[in-house]
Amino acid sequence: MNAPDVTVVVAVYNTMPYLTTCLDSLVGQSIGLERLEVVAVDDGSTDGSGEELDRFAKRYPGTVTVLHQPNSGGPAVPSNRALDVAQGRYVFFIGSDDYLGPEALERLVDAADRWGSDVVLGRMVGTNNRYVHQAIYASTEEQVDLFDSALPWSLSNTKLFRRDLIERYGLRFREDMRMGSDQPFTLEACVRAGRISVLADYVYYYAVKRDNAQNITYASRFEERLRCAEELINFVAGLIEPGPRRDAVLVRNFSWEVAKLLRADFLDLDPSVQEHNHQRIRRLAESFLTDAIRDQLAPDVRLRLLLARHGSLAQLRELIRQQSDKLLPALTVDGDRCFAGYVGFRDPELGFPDEWYDVTDRAAKLAVKTTVTELAWGRDAAGGLTLVITAQNPWARMVDLTGDAVRVTIGDQPAVVSLRPDSAGTLLRAEFPVKQLLAAGAQRWKAGAKLTVFGGLSTVPLRAKGQLTATRQALWRGLRLHRVTANTDRKHQVLLTIKRVRYRQVAATRLARLRPSRGK
């Protein structure tokens, strides 16, 4: 009997009824049963998963092999046991609560044979709101570089591996890691591979987040997550020499495995445990967080990790509280940039640069969430007519913005803007001298009012919740009469219409007023 083209390894522990969907997706593969081997290892399930595996083995003899063992505490031991008996030219790993697209294995094996690939990634998507990083699947690529691509962000084992590569280097899963044991395996396979390929032309893999959120990634405890981060970083350091190649992998570990430890659940730990874990995270940062990694981190992540490295536990706790709050702390506006007063801002002892606190983009998105509440006519200091737009913004910190940070315009004409605190946030008042609007107007000019913040980072039309209108005005500019209307359109966007009134219209209007009424 010829060896199968591909062995699918399934480590199973209490995943009913998802397991049935998984197995159905395997035996229904277009590659055909004669080219397929499924090795499923029941890791001491108690929910009927073992019996379901046996049912499939009985129904598909020669294709489905089932091994039973006492619970080992994680997927590493059953995965290694399956590798010990695998016969396929290639090996593919699947979570027992996930499933494959019908043509997945045939397409993967064909690509690996055609290109001589040692590792092939097929496009993977999440279901039930499970997050799957998508950057590596932007396009089909015959060859990608581990250190010059998004591959470090996709190091789960859910890929096709050439079994000869696995056996040549003795690759196995870390049995001392309850979670994350697939990352060292996958990383070393990618480091050793002669060619890594990506297929983005089809949905190969559906990663399922269970309704009870009991996937091991979601259910793991804080201590296990911290130990996983330590083990992964030390493994990377032992496998890859210091420098850009190592940094390209570690930026993922610091962004995900380490930074995610410094979120709201950190505050729920006992203070003594917080201190102990803070010191462990500090050591990781001191040993491996290079300047090159630092500069690639997202701003909020960078601040968290650098404060963990250089700050006190009290400062770290306060920063976590601040970042957990969706509202921004006190703002400092400097020119066209906006800085949030997170812990460490302009602290001379820490010496962190202002750019780490730059939240201009976020502030812009908050500032434009403004609702017009009134359109009215007013008078400026010289007695000239003004159009007054009053609007409500729920962001209380908007009142801190100064200078040109907030602009309201009709066409190219700017308003005089004032901000003041309000019980529901910030009250915005924009005044347009109508004389200037008339000077810029054409025969018929219809323009919407817009709110622009921070030099154009965010611009939106000003809208009301319903229909608003101000009393129509008739204004002379020289010898020409104009009708000025301020209202909202069917989309509730603020509009100003300036229409020149022709002399015949003026005469007709006056004549109509002089004529006696002929009504009854």
Side-chain angles (χ1 to χ4, degrees):
M1 180 179 176
N2 293 330
D5 282 331
V6 59
T7 297
V8 179
V9 171
V10 194
V12 181
Y13 177 70
N14 288 355
T15 55
M16 288 294 287
Y18 303 93
L19 176 61
T20 303
T21 302
C22 173
L23 296 173
D24 280 336
S25 80
L26 298 181
V27 298
Q29 285 292 299
S30 63
I31 198 170
L33 297 177
E34 68 281 357
R35 299 175 60 191
L36 172 67
E37 176 185 49
V38 177
V39 179
V41 181
D42 171 30
D43 197 39
S45 297
T46 59
D47 70 339
S49 292
E51 291 79 2
E52 183 71 343
L53 292 174
D54 291 338
R55 184 174 74 85
F56 271 82
K58 184 176 180 179
R59 186 175 177 182
Y60 300 97
T63 299
V64 178
T65 299
V66 176
L67 306 175
H68 297 275
Q69 66 181 34
N71 182 254
S72 65
V77 172
S79 296
N80 286 341
R81 190 175 178 194
L83 282 176
D84 290 340
V85 301
Q87 299 296 312
R89 294 190 298 121
Y90 298 99
V91 177
F92 188 89
F93 298 90
I94 185 172
S96 59
D97 35 22
D98 302 331
Y99 60 95
L100 300 182
E103 301 174 16
L105 296 178
E106 183 178 18
R107 287 168 173 257
L108 289 164
V109 169
D110 178 67
D113 285 344
R114 185 169 68 254
W115 293 331
S117 309
D118 289 321
V119 181
V120 184
L121 291 74
R123 184 181 167 214
M124 182 178 183
V125 300
T127 70
N128 200 22
N129 293 319
R130 182 166 181 177
Y131 177 75
V132 174
H133 201 278
Q134 292 296 304
I136 192 63
Y137 305 115
S139 62
T140 293
E141 300 291 343
E142 182 177 338
Q143 185 162 0
V144 295
D145 188 323
L146 169 65
F147 307 108
D148 190 26
S149 72
L151 182 53
W153 298 88
S154 300
L155 288 179
S156 68
N157 65 334
T158 50
K159 301 166 176 58
L160 187 79
F161 299 87
R162 190 177 294 274
R163 192 164 67 86
D164 177 67
L165 175 78
I166 294 173
E167 298 308 325
R168 190 186 330 145
Y169 291 101
L171 303 181
R172 290 297 187 268
F173 292 81
R174 288 277 301 270
E175 296 185 1
D176 59 337
M177 295 176 64
R178 182 177 182 273
M179 62 177 295
S181 60
D182 59 337
Q183 275 197 54
F185 175 93
T186 306
L187 178 62
E188 186 167 1
C190 290
V191 169
R192 308 295 187 193
R195 175 166 293 175
I196 305 168
S197 304
V198 178
L199 296 175
D201 58 337
Y202 180 77
V203 178
Y204 291 79
Y205 194 106
Y206 294 85
V208 178
K209 183 178 180 181
R210 299 188 219 168
D211 290 333
N212 59 7
Q214 287 303 302
N215 308 58
I216 190 169
T217 303
Y218 293 91
S220 301
R221 295 189 297 271
F222 189 95
E223 170 61 28
E224 292 168 345
R225 290 160 50 209
L226 176 53
R227 181 169 174 268
C228 172
E230 292 171 328
E231 294 289 347
L232 291 176
I233 288 176
N234 282 299
F235 180 83
V236 173
L239 181 67
I240 305 171
E241 73 285 352
R245 285 160 43 99
R246 179 192 286 182
D247 290 345
V249 177
L250 287 184
V251 69
R252 170 251 163 82
N253 297 125
F254 276 106
S255 294
W256 277 7
E257 282 81 13
V258 181
K260 288 182 179 181
L261 295 166
L262 300 175
R263 298 197 296 193
D265 56 349
F266 181 88
L267 303 177
D268 297 331
L269 301 173
D270 183 88
S272 62
V273 177
Q274 289 181 6
E275 179 61 40
H276 177 65
N277 290 334
H278 176 212
Q279 294 307 316
R280 291 168 66 180
I281 294 170
R282 187 198 297 273
R283 285 193 292 272
L284 286 176
E286 289 174 342
S287 300
F288 301 109
L289 182 55
T290 65
D291 290 350
I293 295 173
R294 178 200 66 195
D295 294 341
Q296 296 179 66
L297 297 172
D300 59 328
V301 170
R302 178 174 55 217
L303 191 55
R304 232 177 300 157
L305 292 174
L306 269 294
L307 196 63
R309 178 176 177 176
H310 297 288
S312 66
L313 176 60
Q315 289 175 314
L316 180 60
R317 281 195 295 244
E318 179 59 24
L319 177 64
I320 292 172
R321 290 191 189 96
Q322 288 179 322
Q323 291 189 337
S324 298
D325 188 349
K326 293 182 179 181
L327 299 176
L328 290 172
L331 298 176
T332 298
V333 178
D334 193 344
D336 61 353
R337 310 307 297 170
C338 187
F339 305 95
Y342 289 116
V343 174
F345 178 60
R346 295 182 176 173
D347 183 334
E349 292 188 11
L350 291 172
F352 291 170
D354 282 2
E355 65 189 53
W356 293 2
Y357 296 84
D358 192 325
V359 292
T360 308
D361 289 350
R362 286 183 61 195
K365 292 176 182 178
L366 288 171
V368 294
K369 294 180 180 179
T370 302
T371 302
V372 175
T373 57
E374 184 182 17
L375 299 176
W377 303 105
R379 296 287 176 180
D380 59 22
L385 186 69
T386 60
L387 171 63
V388 181
I389 300 175
T390 304
Q392 181 75 51
N393 188 295
W395 183 37
R397 295 293 184 184
M398 186 179 179
V399 76
D400 296 334
L401 305 183
T402 58
D404 293 331
V406 180
R407 295 181 73 243
V408 180
T409 56
I410 292 179
D412 294 329
Q413 299 301 307
V416 177
V417 177
S418 60
L419 305 170
R420 65 178 177 83
D422 180 76
S423 58
T426 298
L427 198 67
L428 178 149
R429 179 184 170 93
E431 284 193 83
F432 292 91
V434 176
K435 184 178 180 180
Q436 292 181 16
L437 295 173
L438 284 174
Q443 293 290 325
R444 179 182 174 89
W445 187 45
K446 187 174 184 180
K450 292 184 178 180
L451 172 67
T452 302
V453 295
F454 296 113
L457 272 179
S458 194
T459 300
V460 295
L462 279 178
R463 286 188 169 90
K465 286 186 176 180
Q467 295 296 325
L468 295 177
T469 187
T471 305
R472 180 179 294 175
Q473 300 288 314
L475 301 173
W476 290 93
R477 180 172 183 265
L479 298 175
R480 294 179 177 178
L481 181 66
H482 295 79
R483 183 179 295 124
V484 183
T485 305
N487 59 7
T488 53
D489 63 10
R490 57 187 180 84
K491 294 184 178 180
H492 302 160
Q493 179 178 337
V494 174
L495 298 176
L496 180 77
T497 303
I498 299 179
K499 184 178 180 182
R500 181 182 170 187
V501 181
R502 302 293 180 181
Y503 288 119
R504 68 183 65 167
Q505 293 175 301
V506 176
T509 300
R510 290 179 175 175
L511 182 60
R513 290 175 180 173
L514 293 173
R515 289 175 179 168
S517 173
R518 295 185 179 181
K520 294 182 180 179

